Amino acid sequence: MFYEPMLPEAGEAAFDSGRYLFEPKIDGHRMLLSMINGKVNLYTRFRTNITERYPELLRVPVDSPHVVLDGEAAYLNPETGDFERESVMERLRLLKPARIRDGARRLPVRYFVFDILSYDGEDVRHWPLDERKALLNDVLEENESYSRVLSVEGTGKGLFEAVRQRRLEGLVAKRKDSLYTGGGSDDWLKIINYLHADVTVVGYRKSQFGWLIHMNGKPAGVLEQGVPLAVRRSFQTEIRDLIIGEDRDYVYLKPAVQARIRFLNRYKSGTLRAPEFIRFLPSLACQPQSQGILTV
């Protein structure tokens, strides 16, 4: 049984409110678990059945053969205590049985459950969130493969500070009276714990939009998000004198253009995850009348 997952809208900043529960945002991938008559199926948020990829999750620690759970599949490094999204995505990509068995041994995934949608044959999506949480706490036993996601009432700012110190992805604020509706809803808000950096634009794609960026003199990936169309167009016009070469895919520039960005974290390769443009650095930003478009 698959239910369309409920998705949080973007929130700007952490806040306190007695009407909300606040949860750390687990850095893995969204997954729904459906157990009907004891048979388990695991689904991505896009309805892809991935049951065979996580054999360590097929024994569900509940006392009923009928349950539907919502949560995040993640890998928690036992040595560092950090969530490693690269590792769980490596597991997700494994398809051959031998590699799946090896992956389960090397990188065991844990299911972090934050909601219950059906229990013992009853659809509980119409229950308020705080009642669903109470049911989840009663029926799901934690073990090495299953954990309930911590939730706190009212104190979003304090939890966000803890999230920041632990270098977690962010938090999700959920109205205590929210029903479980499929699709996006502003009853749930995600507040991301962004990291910030200054990068140098050293090139751009010839086909689809994307700026090649370096951080501290080393490749850091491609910047695609957050750049207004007017800035893109002005950039293409104003950097012509900075071009130093090209190949089939990219045009390369002198390292003269710098920008402030925000991003989620950094992969082991050094590439930034989900970099997003904020502005050009002050020495390169336009005057107010040119609406922040690059000048060099």
Side-chain angles (χ1 to χ4, degrees):
M1 181 181 297
F2 178 84
Y3 294 125
E4 182 183 1
M6 186 165 174
L7 304 174
E9 302 286 353
E12 289 301 317
F15 59 93
D16 294 337
S17 172
R19 295 182 300 170
Y20 284 80
L21 296 176
F22 299 91
E23 304 171 352
K25 193 173 188 302
I26 305 301
D27 197 2
H29 72 79
R30 188 75 171 271
M31 189 174 75
L32 271 70
L33 179 150
S34 172
M35 183 168 67
I36 307 299
N37 292 323
K39 180 177 174 57
V40 175
N41 281 285
L42 306 174
Y43 299 96
T44 70
R45 58 174 286 192
F46 303 107
R47 207 174 185 136
T48 302
N49 192 312
I50 56 172
T51 307
E52 295 182 354
R53 304 184 202 184
Y54 297 134
E56 64 268 45
L57 300 182
L58 299 185
R59 294 184 178 180
V60 186
V62 298
D63 60 358
S64 171
H66 307 279
V67 69
V68 179
L69 304 173
D70 190 5
E72 198 86 0
Y75 174 73
L76 186 63
N77 188 312
E79 296 182 359
T80 65
D82 293 334
F83 289 101
E84 294 183 0
R85 191 170 187 273
E86 285 179 283
S87 296
V88 72
M89 297 311 291
E90 176 185 339
R91 284 293 312 278
L92 183 61
R93 289 190 292 268
L94 298 178
L95 300 176
K96 295 182 178 180
R99 292 192 174 186
I100 289 173
R101 290 193 297 269
D102 177 65
R105 177 185 57 80
R106 291 186 299 106
L107 302 170
V109 164
R110 186 179 301 182
Y111 190 33
F112 290 85
V113 184
F114 53 69
D115 215 328
I116 183 167
L117 315 185
S118 178
Y119 178 71
D120 213 19
E122 180 180 359
D123 186 343
V124 299
R125 289 177 296 166
H126 62 285
W127 291 16
L129 173 64
D130 53 0
E131 294 183 19
R132 299 197 310 272
K133 286 283 193 182
L135 175 63
L136 179 64
N137 290 337
D138 285 343
V139 304
L140 180 68
E141 296 183 14
E142 295 188 309
N143 58 27
E144 69 279 1
S145 297
Y146 282 80
S147 295
R148 295 186 296 270
V149 175
L150 165 75
S151 63
V152 298
E153 183 177 344
T155 55
K157 292 180 180 179
L159 180 60
F160 190 80
E161 178 59 23
V163 161
R164 189 188 64 79
Q165 293 181 8
R166 283 285 314 277
R167 304 188 305 276
L168 300 180
E169 185 180 356
L171 63 78
V172 182
K174 301 178 178 179
R175 287 184 61 100
K176 293 192 295 184
D177 61 355
S178 61
L179 312 183
Y180 193 97
T181 57
S185 171
D186 60 7
D187 282 345
W188 291 10
L189 300 172
K190 59 181 178 182
I191 297 96
I192 302 299
N193 176 30
Y194 286 108
L195 302 175
H196 293 79
D198 297 334
V199 299
T200 304
V201 181
V202 297
Y204 60 87
R205 285 196 190 115
K206 287 184 174 181
S207 55
Q208 67 189 86
F209 172 75
W211 292 342
L212 287 174
I213 56 174
H214 281 187
M215 189 168 76
N216 299 324
K218 296 181 179 180
V222 178
L223 177 61
E224 300 173 311
Q225 302 300 318
V227 187
L229 182 59
V231 173
R232 298 184 190 185
R233 290 173 174 170
S234 180
F235 178 88
Q236 291 301 115
T237 300
E238 298 185 34
I239 50 78
R240 290 173 180 171
D241 293 340
L242 299 179
I243 296 174
I244 57 175
E246 62 181 279
D247 58 23
R248 185 181 66 180
D249 300 313
Y250 296 99
V251 174
Y252 300 100
L253 308 174
K254 295 177 183 178
V257 180
Q258 293 183 307
R260 172 65 52 84
I261 66 165
R262 65 184 188 180
F263 62 101
L264 294 181
N265 51 42
R266 197 168 187 178
Y267 293 123
K268 295 176 182 178
S269 64
T271 300
L272 305 182
R273 179 182 167 201
E276 183 178 338
F277 177 82
I278 299 176
R279 65 181 186 274
F280 290 112
L281 292 190
S283 61
L284 295 174
C286 277
Q287 300 303 315
Q289 61 267 25
S290 56
Q291 300 179 0
I293 297 173
L294 170 71
T295 59
V296 293

